[in-house]
Amino acid sequence: MKKALAFLLVLIMVFAMAACTAKADPSSSEPAAAETTEATETPAVDVEAENVKAYEGVTLKVWLAPFVRDDVDQSFWSNQLDAFETETGATVEVEIVGWGDMATKYLTAFMSDSAADVLYMTNEIAYDFINQGCLTDLESYWSADEIENENYWDTTYYRDKHYLIPFLGGNSQRGFIYNMDILNECGVDKVPTTWDELLDACEKIHSARPDIYTLLNPMTGNNNAFLTNMLGFLYQAGGSMVNDEGTAYTLNTPEALDAMTFIQTLVDNGYLSTDCLGLDDSSIRDLFGEGKVAISVVDAPYIYFEEAPFAWQFSTELAKSKNEQSACFAPIDTLAVNAKTKNTDAAVALLKYLRSDEVMTAFFTDVYAGGQILKSYPNMITDEHMDDVFAHPERAFVLPIAPNLQVVVDSCINNQQLMVMGQLTPEEALLQIQAEADKAFN
Amino acid sequence: MKLKSKTLKQQITGYSFILPSLILLSVFVIAPILLTFYYSMTDYNGFQAPAWAGFKNFKEAFSDLSVQAALKNTFVFTVISVPVEISVSLLCAALIAARYRNKFGEFVRGVMFIPVLCSSALIGTIFAYLFAANQDAFFNMLLQTFGIEKVNWLGSEKTALGVIIFVNAWKDIGYYMVIIYAGIMDIPNDLYEASAIDGATRWQQFLKITIPNLRSVLFMIITVCTIWSFQLFDLAYSMTAGGPGHATTSLVYQVYLQGFRSFKFGYASAIAVILFVLVLVINIIQKLFMKETD
């Protein structure tokens, strides 16, 4: 018995040692990190030229955001990256980072030099990482032809540098969605295009159908409360969040006051129900889908209301007045490259591969249908309700890249809520928002 | 001399037994607390080395409207939560111990413990649906069956914190109840029998036997409940995100916002230190009160 046990232990030890040796073998398909680093710094020269792949032995880490479920996204990207690995010889490790954890995870990772080589970024968190030198300016890696193929290239410049490369978006404009059956029933035959027309439509609906919500926009604690209300109306009023130089927030301006006063008018007249303070985004969408809301603001409505039992229309065409430009918020999420990556060329190659036509076509088909970040992408969204979005990209405004943006957004949400509850006037709300925003730049 | 060396040997043995725990405790508890105190006096932002800022963060915290609101909400939450949760748990435990020392009692205890095992974020999300403002939401439908108008539970500053207190109580009562029940089981039955012979009613037995014999258990759970109440975060985060306005923000929520959303770790540490001092002072007062009543 003892002999058998001893034999078994020796056998296990031999297998373990063999496994360790195999891992240290440079020809192994999964090289250990230490070897990878060495290979990255010193390209292999003793391999036959025809077998040398561009990034043989390089290990790259990429962090992406979840769109369906972590495991679905993870499996999609892992499968897609097989071709990149085969072609370049690099090994790519994909990790899906939850939206809520993103800022914290990135911060701690950059602090400990363990951040991924390629990272998913949103404007809400980008500034600090750019400002602290964590990201690489990628402008020089793009040729004129490649830039020509970009649809949203200009939206992600920061002080003449390009740390962020547009990756997803272009189809999530926060536009107004109208239940046309209700609008027609109340004598509104076309969607409002100005604030006055919106007020007029709301008045008719409010009088004719007091049993339903006239207008219901998300106003609870998440960012949509800001993006679908204050920010949209601010852009329509001709305002912006920061000045042209990008050196100060401009949230206590006549344009911002117009926007906040308009929201308050909607509330005071009973058109915009204060129930929106206690209903989250999905509850509002459900209520709209059930025909209990006449007007709301949503993103990419074809996802939610494909089979709605009523006629509906989605429009980004709302302006303060006939003479002013219609506008809405549009998110453009981006990819960035870690400034401390050991092989920037490989990281850029990976970034370009991730947003290549074939990978993104598969992504749009299997995971989440997005807009045309590149002109060469096929248009996957053929829903007629989205025509307005793709026909008028000039109406789409993105969030600026500015310090402590998330804190300023939080302040806008809080003060907008206090205003809607009647505790602050629009002027007082803007004063408090600007005070918080000034701290961010100081 | 021999005795002295024996004592020294004993001491070394004793210290070597506690050394592993002491090391772990120092690394994972004491050092972070000391670091938090240090960071609270700096302008640490996570990226650059912290620079000394003295009491600037504390001055800013006490004049910050969000922190003031958080301080008030945390106090209100604790002052209501602790007595409600402890008294309901005590009553449930006493009732089960007195009437249902059977399979049904076991079942009830099991069911009441289920929420304790669930994630607070999940519970918060589910209750946010149940307490939604529309008339089809569960609690509004319940009100309407009694002819009462629907309420904007989470969208009104008058009710939002109350809803969170309710959900928190629903989640935690099972935990306290199980501990109190175990405490009641430890009380010798002779005391109840003797008092019954002397003509004591059930209520008198509860007041004169059960409560006094549960003193140490009650002190422990009051302490735990107070500390946990001061740490209100996950329900406020998942149900209201601290709103509407500042109606449900808490000190821990402010620590999260300042630290992990704006990367002001120095400022967040100052708020954490304020919370630490508050909990410590309240705990000392509770201990003194217990000693006094002993």
Side-chain angles (χ1 to χ4, degrees):
Chain A
M1 184 62 191
K2 275 184 185 170
K3 275 184 184 172
L5 192 65
F7 178 70
L8 193 68
L9 287 172
V10 169
L11 210 62
I12 290 170
M13 201 172 76
V14 168
F15 272 116
M17 285 172 74
C20 291
T21 316
K23 199 146 198 180
D25 183 356
S27 63
S28 162
S29 61
E30 289 179 28
E35 278 80 42
T36 304
T37 308
E38 205 171 292
T40 307
E41 287 163 352
T42 321
V45 288
D46 55 342
V47 186
E48 287 179 28
E50 61 265 28
N51 289 337
V52 175
K53 292 178 175 176
Y55 305 116
E56 188 75 56
V58 176
T59 296
L60 294 166
K61 282 197 287 184
V62 54
W63 289 347
L64 296 165
F67 280 86
V68 181
R69 250 187 13 236
D70 285 13
D71 56 332
V72 176
D73 287 79
Q74 176 88 38
S75 141
F76 171 82
W77 291 114
S78 299
N79 291 337
Q80 288 299 320
L81 286 164
D82 286 348
F84 179 81
E85 290 178 320
T86 311
E87 195 182 312
T88 63
T91 303
V92 184
E93 295 167 2
V94 188
E95 191 181 330
I96 305 299
V97 180
W99 295 101
D101 304 333
M102 206 172 267
T104 319
K105 170 140 181 144
Y106 286 11
L107 174 71
T108 49
F110 276 114
M111 281 162 70
S112 57
D113 277 346
S114 59
D117 302 278
V118 177
L119 312 102
Y120 195 95
M121 274 281 167
T122 62
N123 282 20
E124 285 94 323
I125 62 171
Y127 176 89
D128 287 304
F129 297 108
I130 292 172
N131 197 37
Q132 298 297 334
C134 300
L135 307 180
T136 305
D137 174 17
L138 298 169
E139 181 80 12
S140 60
Y141 290 87
W142 259 253
S143 68
D145 284 349
E146 284 175 313
I147 293 173
E148 182 60 32
N149 189 31
E150 300 276 349
N151 263 332
Y152 294 92
W153 191 249
D154 291 343
T155 62
T156 54
Y157 268 111
Y158 176 70
R159 295 187 180 168
D160 298 330
K161 291 199 161 51
H162 232 129
Y163 300 98
L164 308 172
I165 304 299
F167 180 49
L168 277 171
N171 68 319
S172 292
Q173 272 81 333
R174 302 297 197 275
F176 278 81
I177 185 165
Y178 302 92
N179 181 325
M180 293 310 292
D181 285 1
I182 296 174
L183 262 68
N184 291 337
E185 180 193 326
C186 301
V188 183
D189 51 5
K190 68 176 190 66
V191 300
T193 56
T194 64
W195 288 5
D196 284 342
E197 285 178 18
L198 181 66
L199 283 174
D200 187 46
C202 285
E203 191 184 340
K204 286 177 178 163
I205 297 162
H206 192 61
S207 320
R209 290 294 305 272
D211 57 316
I212 58 160
Y213 290 111
T214 302
L215 174 60
L216 208 53
N217 286 347
M219 238 188 232
T220 48
N222 70 35
N223 286 4
N224 255 352
F226 171 67
L227 306 174
T228 60
N229 292 288
M230 185 180 165
L231 186 65
F233 293 123
L234 176 69
Y235 286 147
Q236 287 156 23
S240 62
M241 281 191 78
V242 293
N243 61 12
D244 291 342
E245 298 77 36
T247 52
Y249 281 103
T250 49
L251 291 161
N252 190 13
T253 56
E255 292 84 9
L257 185 60
D258 282 348
M260 292 294 256
T261 308
F262 185 65
I263 296 171
Q264 195 56 44
T265 307
L266 291 168
V267 174
D268 290 344
N269 287 307
Y271 307 150
L272 178 58
S273 170
T274 51
D275 279 5
C276 59
L277 293 167
L279 286 165
D280 64 11
D281 305 14
S282 60
S283 299
I284 291 178
R285 282 200 298 268
D286 289 348
L287 287 166
F288 186 88
E290 291 163 16
K292 293 172 182 167
V293 181
I295 306 171
S296 185
V297 176
V298 293
D299 62 321
Y302 66 97
I303 298 170
Y304 316 113
F305 308 114
E306 214 170 13
E307 292 169 10
F310 50 79
W312 57 272
Q313 201 168 328
F314 180 66
S315 172
T316 54
E317 191 186 5
L318 189 71
K320 189 183 162 194
S321 66
K322 288 276 181 211
N323 304 324
E324 275 158 290
Q325 192 196 346
S326 50
C328 64
F329 163 71
I332 301 289
D333 289 351
T334 55
L335 290 177
V337 170
N338 185 345
K340 287 190 178 169
T341 185
K342 293 196 172 69
N343 193 326
T344 308
D345 288 345
V348 172
L350 173 60
L351 189 155
K352 287 187 177 182
Y353 176 78
L354 288 169
R355 61 200 292 277
S356 63
D357 291 359
E358 57 182 1
V359 172
M360 290 315 289
T361 306
F363 182 80
F364 295 155
T365 310
D366 299 344
V367 184
Y368 183 83
Q372 288 177 288
I373 293 291
L374 295 185
K375 290 171 185 158
S376 54
Y377 288 172
N379 183 7
M380 306 295 288
I381 303 160
T382 50
D383 191 306
E384 60 182 24
H385 296 104
M386 297 299 286
D387 290 350
D388 182 58
V389 168
F390 298 119
H392 296 286
E394 79 282 359
R395 290 178 189 158
F397 288 80
V398 299
L399 277 172
I401 299 166
N404 282 333
L405 183 64
Q406 186 57 61
V407 180
V408 176
V409 169
D410 286 342
S411 173
C412 291
I413 295 169
N414 274 336
N415 288 294
Q416 183 182 257
Q417 287 176 335
L418 290 168
M419 181 188 80
V420 168
M421 288 191 297
Q423 292 187 11
L424 295 177
T425 63
E427 289 85 354
E428 289 167 341
L430 289 175
L431 265 177
Q432 294 205 15
I433 291 169
Q434 188 62 45
E436 189 68 48
D438 287 342
K439 276 194 231 164
F441 265 106
N442 293 335
Chain B
M1 189 66 195
K2 205 176 173 185
L3 190 71
K4 224 177 184 180
S5 87
K6 199 180 171 185
T7 315
L8 187 70
K9 214 173 170 185
Q10 277 177 339
Q11 279 181 346
I12 290 169
T13 313
Y15 281 122
S16 51
F17 274 120
I18 63 162
L19 194 63
S21 305
L22 192 68
I23 291 170
L24 289 174
L25 204 69
S26 305
V27 172
F28 293 108
V29 180
I30 298 167
I33 290 174
L34 294 177
L35 270 177
T36 306
F37 272 89
Y38 166 65
Y39 286 143
S40 70
M41 302 279 199
T42 69
D43 66 350
Y44 187 43
N45 67 359
F47 291 102
Q48 291 153 333
W52 189 254
F55 286 97
K56 181 176 157 273
N57 290 326
F58 292 94
K59 278 184 200 159
E60 196 181 328
F62 285 115
S63 60
D64 186 333
L65 286 178
S66 309
V67 177
Q68 286 172 7
L71 203 58
K72 187 193 120 204
N73 292 338
T74 308
F75 259 115
V76 172
F77 180 81
T78 306
V79 165
I80 300 176
S81 280
V82 176
V84 167
E85 289 182 23
I86 303 298
S87 50
V88 174
S89 315
L90 181 63
L91 286 174
C92 290
L95 187 70
I96 293 171
R99 295 275 172 95
Y100 302 107
R101 288 193 194 191
N102 52 22
K103 290 276 176 203
F104 176 71
E106 282 173 23
F107 172 75
V108 171
R109 275 186 290 141
V111 168
M112 286 183 76
F113 201 76
I114 291 173
V116 180
L117 304 174
C118 297
S119 123
S120 293
L122 184 71
I123 287 174
T125 309
I126 293 169
F127 271 94
Y129 273 102
L130 299 178
F131 278 107
N134 56 310
Q135 55 190 14
D136 308 329
F138 175 77
F139 282 98
N140 275 337
M141 278 173 69
L142 205 65
L143 286 186
Q144 283 165 66
T145 56
F146 297 105
I148 304 169
E149 276 280 291
K150 75 181 176 71
V151 174
N152 189 358
W153 297 103
L154 298 172
S156 160
E157 58 172 358
K158 288 177 190 152
T159 48
L161 190 62
V163 170
I164 292 179
I165 290 170
F166 170 80
V167 177
N168 189 59
W170 179 85
K171 185 186 182 314
D172 286 348
I173 277 172
Y175 177 75
Y176 302 126
M177 192 267 292
V178 166
I179 295 174
I180 296 171
Y181 182 82
I184 293 175
M185 290 292 103
D186 278 347
I187 300 172
N189 228 10
D190 310 356
L191 295 176
Y192 291 102
E193 284 167 5
S195 65
I197 291 165
D198 291 341
T201 62
R202 288 246 182 217
W203 181 241
Q204 284 171 324
Q205 285 179 335
F206 178 71
L207 286 180
K208 306 281 181 186
I209 299 172
T210 309
I211 300 279
N213 279 284
L214 282 176
R215 280 181 58 80
S216 54
V217 172
L218 285 176
F219 175 67
M220 190 274 282
I221 60 169
I222 287 170
T223 306
V224 170
C225 190
T226 307
I227 293 169
W228 286 358
S229 297
F230 268 99
Q231 291 173 347
L232 168 67
F233 172 72
D234 29 21
L235 287 178
Y237 178 79
S238 57
M239 293 180 77
T240 57
H246 302 299
T248 57
T249 191
S250 67
L251 284 174
V252 177
Y253 195 75
Q254 286 300 316
V255 171
Y256 162 76
L257 285 182
Q258 300 296 342
F260 295 104
R261 293 212 2 164
S262 64
F263 301 157
K264 288 158 78 178
F265 288 104
Y267 188 49
S269 299
I271 302 172
V273 167
I274 293 170
L275 177 66
F276 176 85
V277 172
L278 272 175
V279 174
L280 190 71
V281 168
I282 288 173
N283 203 246
I284 290 170
I285 293 170
Q286 280 176 336
K287 271 199 167 154
L288 289 175
F289 179 75
M290 281 300 284
K291 260 190 186 165
E292 191 81 6
T293 51
D294 267 343

